[in-house]
Amino acid sequence: MDTKYVIGLDYGSDSARALVVNAANGEVLASSVKYYPRWKEGKYCNPRINQYRQHPQDYIDVLIASVREALSKCPEGTAERVVGIAFDTTGSTPAFTDETGTPLALLPEFAENPNAMFVLWKDHTAVKEAAEINDLCKRWPIDYTSYEGGIYSSEWFWAKALHVLREDEKVREKAYSLIEYCEWLPALLTGVKSSKDVVRSRCACGHKAMWHPKWGGLPPEEFFVELDPLLAGFRERLFVETETADKPVGHLTQEWADRLGLTTKVVVAGGAYDCHMGAVGAGVEPHTFVRVIGTSTCDVMVAEKEEIGDNLIKGICGQVDGSVIPGMIGLEAGQSAFGDIYAWFKRVLEFPLTHIVMESNLLSEETKAELVAEASAKIIPALTAEAERIHPSESAVVATDWMNGRRTPDANQLLKGTITGITLGTTAPMIFRALIEATAFGSRAIVERFRREGVKIDTVIGIGGIALKSPFVMQTLSDVLNMPIKVCNTDQACALGASMFAAVAAGIYPNVEAAIKAMNSGFAKEYHPIEANVEVYDHLYKEYLKIGHFTETELYNK
């Protein structure tokens, strides 16, 4: 039998990874990870105002580099037997396009304009616009956020679009349409030359753009004009229908086959968000809570339509028919920061290294650089080792996990993080432990919301780098949730999920469930709650809720 291969591409916040996968059994032949070159330099971002933009050329550069490098590691003849390719990306990460569907930043006159680029999921410059959308939805006869948890977020499609239109006259004059980059990449590879021909993602549009069949797709034109006349006309130039990611959108053009080292026989699947394809890569099924744990978290579940019925789940990031597995309702939640919180604390502790050691006259430039690099690399491992020795009951420090606002339950990007209970005896490991506990408490708040809304959770699966590499974080999470947690056997579950969609689109499997059964990676480890810690964390979780309530109602109730 002629072995067939597929390629799964996972576009994260900092980098993209490509997997070349045996479609018969999910075996990974080779992989490649490439960092976005402009993003790595910090270009087009302003953390002070929560502006995070990515250049579409970064996406193109890493696509070519990662696919070619992964294929170079495979046995000779592999490229000729690749039959499908699929993408997952961050989201909501939209950009304005011209009439051809080209992101404006790829036009010479907009090449250095951040407003013409993709607005990354964690860009929170559109808080005001999100509040206006929420206000209008509550006054309108139909609440168009009702299938998106009832609260529209500044991380999402329309808030970002309106903010950019208000901010940039040149973009406003040129913008014809909008595109999510999980839609743009498949369109790019299949040679789409008109915005109207872009295949729109059920996942992206249903969860972030207020699309739903109940009201005929997007909200009506009069809704957008009432929100702001600057949005007039965009609805008509966008879309009515959306497609699930298992559907093929076309084949590689000759140009892209040549650039990637593949053939024009390769089928390109529809795009979706990383966490949704990651859940498929982890083997999601009903009553399974899949946590994609990285810089932030994205939590995904699927449910039978009969089980959800007419139930509208409040405070999450949407419930969409077919956003994960076609034929089931996909449910999304998550935290706006997880690993980013640990990275923030590391940067705080790096201050004497970067501002004192690097300015020292006692060491050579080479020695200083090596010393700083070595010390920086050891901060998190050293903090972890010390924090693990602290019993949960020994530290009075309690923190919230809202350093980047709150995604769920109940989106509120105005919120800030808090750390309480600090004394003159508080140590850095105590604070670090409190931050880890805070991210676990935020996770518990999401689980409790799902359960309170009638969604049953039997199993928890963790995927991503933190899940595989940090036993301390995962054990703490298991203790706080008081549930076992399985950890996926691969650190590339999102890319593996994308490869499953590629296999379905290429006709190797009849549906996503069959691809999951054949191609899943299994589990590397399972964590079980430590009984002695569960009771302590029940008490600390109540303190977390009290502090969070005070923070939200007294400090940031604007």
Side-chain angles (χ1 to χ4, degrees), residues 445-466:
I446 294 169
V447 169
E448 291 194 349
R449 172 58 61 89
F450 270 123
R451 286 173 167 164
R452 194 156 61 244
E453 293 290 315
V455 179
K456 185 180 179 183
I457 298 176
D458 292 333
T459 304
V460 180
I461 297 174
I463 65 177
I466 289 176

Side-chain angles (χ1 to χ4, degrees), residues 460-529:
V460 180
I461 297 174
I463 65 177
I466 289 176
L468 271 172
K469 297 173 185 176
S470 183
F472 178 43
V473 171
M474 298 310 294
Q475 184 61 59
T476 302
L477 186 59
S478 177
D479 293 344
V480 169
L481 296 180
N482 192 20
M483 292 182 71
I485 301 176
K486 297 176 181 178
V487 175
C488 223
N489 202 28
T490 174
D491 62 350
Q492 304 291 1
C494 293
L496 180 61
S499 74
M500 293 177 185
F501 279 94
V504 177
I508 296 173
Y509 297 103
N511 52 45
V512 172
E513 295 95 319
I516 290 173
K517 185 175 181 180
M519 298 174 68
N520 78 88
S521 67
F523 300 103
K525 188 170 184 179
E526 184 169 352
Y527 292 88
H528 294 269

Side-chain angles (χ1 to χ4, degrees), residues 260-342:
L260 298 178
L262 296 168
T263 74
T264 57
K265 296 179 181 179
V266 175
V267 173
V268 181
Y273 287 154
D274 45 8
C275 51
H276 297 73
M277 285 193 173
V280 168
V284 69
E285 57 187 7
H287 309 145
T288 300
F289 183 66
V290 179
R291 311 213 74 213
V292 184
I293 306 173
T295 55
S296 64
T297 75
C298 197
D299 305 318
V300 174
M301 299 186 68
V302 295
E304 301 287 353
K305 294 179 183 179
E306 297 76 16
E307 182 178 356
I308 294 293
D310 296 325
N311 185 23
L312 295 174
I313 301 166
K314 300 179 183 67
I316 65 170
C317 302
Q319 52 194 85
V320 179
D321 183 1
S323 66
V324 184
I325 295 178
M328 295 187 189
I329 304 298
L331 308 170
E332 180 194 339
Q335 292 162 272
S336 291
F338 199 97
D340 270 350
I341 294 177
Y342 314 152

Side-chain angles (χ1 to χ4, degrees), residues 387-397 433 437 472 476 479 532-534 536-537 539-540:
E388 281 184 299
R389 296 190 180 99
I390 303 169
H391 191 270
S393 62
E394 291 178 16
S395 173
V397 183
R433 180 172 190 116
E437 291 168 347
F472 178 43
T476 302
D479 293 344
N533 293 344
V534 171
V536 175
Y537 280 133
H539 169 73
L540 289 176

Side-chain angles (χ1 to χ4, degrees), residues 83-356:
V83 296
I85 189 169
F87 296 90
D88 71 67
T89 73
T90 65
S92 179
T93 302
F96 282 102
T97 75
D98 65 9
E99 196 167 352
T100 71
T102 301
L104 296 185
L106 290 179
L107 305 178
E109 64 269 34
F110 291 101
E112 297 298 319
N113 184 343
N115 289 323
M117 299 174 190
F118 282 93
V119 184
L120 189 65
W121 65 269
K122 71 177 183 179
D123 185 297
H124 290 165
T125 53
V127 170
K128 178 177 180 292
E129 287 76 13
E132 293 175 27
I133 292 171
N134 284 313
D135 178 65
L136 182 58
C137 282
K138 298 304 176 282
R139 293 188 284 109
W140 206 261
I142 296 174
D143 183 352
Y144 296 112
T145 68
S146 58
Y147 286 88
E148 295 182 338
I151 302 175
Y152 206 78
S153 169
S154 64
E155 294 183 351
W156 297 353
F157 188 85
W158 287 111
K160 290 175 172 178
L162 181 54
H163 178 77
V164 170
L165 288 174
R166 287 173 171 175
E167 183 140 302
D168 198 309
E169 182 179 357
K170 291 182 178 179
V171 169
R172 189 162 65 240
E173 291 173 352
K174 185 68 174 178
Y176 178 84
S177 188
L178 275 159
I179 198 166
E180 287 273 359
Y181 92 97
C182 69
E183 299 167 336
W184 176 61
L185 288 167
L188 179 71
L189 267 60
T190 55
V192 171
K193 300 298 182 185
S194 174
S195 175
K196 66 180 176 59
D197 294 329
V198 173
V199 175
R200 299 294 181 161
S201 165
R202 174 73 54 83
C203 175
C205 301
H207 282 281
K208 314 299 185 187
M210 297 188 288
W211 178 92
H212 199 277
K214 186 176 182 179
W215 43 78
L218 293 169
E221 175 74 2
E222 54 265 34
F223 173 87
F224 291 113
V225 173
E226 177 71 19
L227 180 61
D228 194 308
L230 292 177
L231 291 171
F234 278 98
R235 183 191 189 276
E236 183 182 352
R237 299 193 296 269
L238 278 164
F239 53 89
V240 175
E241 300 299 328
T242 64
E243 295 289 351
T244 53
D246 60 321
K247 302 284 182 61
V249 301
H251 289 79
L252 286 182
T253 63
Q254 187 64 61
E255 175 192 357
W256 275 102
D258 293 341
R259 296 180 81 176
L260 298 178
L262 296 168
T263 74
T264 57
K265 296 179 181 179
V266 175
V267 173
V268 181
Y273 287 154
D274 45 8
C275 51
H276 297 73
M277 285 193 173
V280 168
V284 69
E285 57 187 7
H287 309 145
T288 300
F289 183 66
V290 179
R291 311 213 74 213
V292 184
I293 306 173
T295 55
S296 64
T297 75
C298 197
D299 305 318
V300 174
M301 299 186 68
V302 295
E304 301 287 353
K305 294 179 183 179
E306 297 76 16
E307 182 178 356
I308 294 293
D310 296 325
N311 185 23
L312 295 174
I313 301 166
K314 300 179 183 67
I316 65 170
C317 302
Q319 52 194 85
V320 179
D321 183 1
S323 66
V324 184
I325 295 178
M328 295 187 189
I329 304 298
L331 308 170
E332 180 194 339
Q335 292 162 272
S336 291
F338 199 97
D340 270 350
I341 294 177
Y342 314 152
W344 160 77
F345 191 51
K346 176 189 173 187
R347 289 195 301 274
V348 171
L349 298 181
E350 283 176 335
F351 181 86
L353 295 174
T354 56
H355 289 75
I356 298 175

